[in-house]
Amino acid sequence: MSADNRYFYEPSKGHGLPHNPLNAIIGPRPIGWIASRNAQGQRNLAPYSFFNCFNYDPPIIGFASTGWKDSVANIVETGEFVWNLTTRSLAAQMNQTSAALPHGTDEFEFAGLTPIAGNIVKADRIAQSPVSFECKLSQCIQLTAANGDKIDTWLVLGEVVAVHIEKYLLSAEGIYQTALAEPVLRAGGPSAYYGISDEQRFDLHRPTL
């Protein structure tokens, strides 16, 4: 404990806590539920908790994978993927798709999910998910440490080329209703997730100078 009563640690020397607090502090985080196909057409579906949106125009989203996993290999091979929104009603099935299944297993079938072909990309959407983004690969970047050492983590960025939204999530004015979708957000530790609600909403407007 430091003099100002704050817990202090240097990550390279370990955090000294029961669980690494990093992903609990940077959270809750949206889930990247990523669907892809390899060149032979084999489907893959996996959730990534290091996920977010990085640009408006063109819209670019991305996720980070620790290790060169099937999702990364498929996306680099085909240049395509689909992001699907994880909702509260789909949380258990999302969690099932995180299982370390034998190579070649179809996670859609394993989790009881229905694939729908994309309009533009060949990767499948999840029929049960109310929002999906069809994406084209823009960059796949191997991360490096501050000293330049390469890390076995890959940042996959994709341009959103098609958007699917269930109409019930749009108000009469055409505004997307974030809380109504009941998105699931990942937190820290081995099992923590969160939801959001309109009761927790507050509004701030940018100051004008």
Side-chain angles (χ1 to χ4, degrees):
M1 194 72 71
S2 63
D4 65 359
N5 204 36
R6 297 189 181 192
Y7 191 85
F8 172 82
Y9 70 94
E10 297 175 58
S12 63
K13 299 177 182 178
H15 50 75
L17 298 169
H19 295 285
N20 190 331
L22 178 69
N23 55 2
I25 295 167
I26 309 298
R29 289 160 285 120
I31 296 168
W33 205 5
I34 306 297
S36 63
R37 282 179 178 263
N38 63 19
Q40 291 72 46
Q42 172 65 50
R43 282 192 294 262
N44 183 265
L45 180 63
Y48 291 86
S49 66
F50 283 1
F51 165 85
N52 223 303
C53 182
F54 298 99
N55 198 56
Y56 247 139
D57 186 20
I60 292 176
I61 63 172
F63 69 95
S65 171
T66 302
W68 187 265
K69 296 179 180 174
D70 286 344
S71 296
V72 181
N74 291 351
I75 293 166
V76 169
E77 186 175 39
T78 65
E80 301 178 338
F81 66 95
V82 174
W83 169 79
N84 304 274
L85 179 68
T86 301
T87 62
R88 184 65 186 87
S89 63
L90 293 171
Q93 287 162 295
M94 176 278 297
N95 190 51
Q96 278 194 296
T97 64
S98 70
L101 302 175
H103 181 71
T105 303
D106 189 329
E107 288 84 3
F108 279 86
E109 292 182 5
F110 179 76
L113 296 164
T114 306
I116 299 181
N119 288 35
I120 295 177
V121 306
K122 293 180 181 178
D124 297 280
R125 299 185 287 119
I126 298 172
Q128 292 86 344
S129 177
V131 182
S132 298
F133 294 166
E134 298 183 38
C135 302
K136 293 276 192 178
L137 175 66
S138 57
Q139 291 174 277
C140 180
I141 304 165
Q142 184 174 13
L143 301 187
T144 61
N147 64 3
D149 288 349
K150 291 185 177 181
I151 304 168
D152 188 24
T153 298
W154 305 84
L155 176 62
V156 177
L157 298 171
E159 179 179 343
V160 179
V161 295
V163 177
H164 304 262
I165 305 172
E166 289 284 355
K167 290 182 180 177
Y168 77 89
L169 294 176
L170 299 174
S171 70
E173 298 77 24
I175 306 300
Y176 180 80
Q177 302 299 296
T178 302
L180 184 60
E182 297 188 307
V184 171
L185 310 171
R186 188 71 169 96
S191 62
Y193 290 84
Y194 284 91
I196 62 173
S197 69
D198 276 322
E199 288 73 25
Q200 296 173 306
R201 172 178 168 168
F202 62 96
D203 291 84
L204 297 172
H205 296 281
R206 288 185 182 181
T208 57
L209 302 179

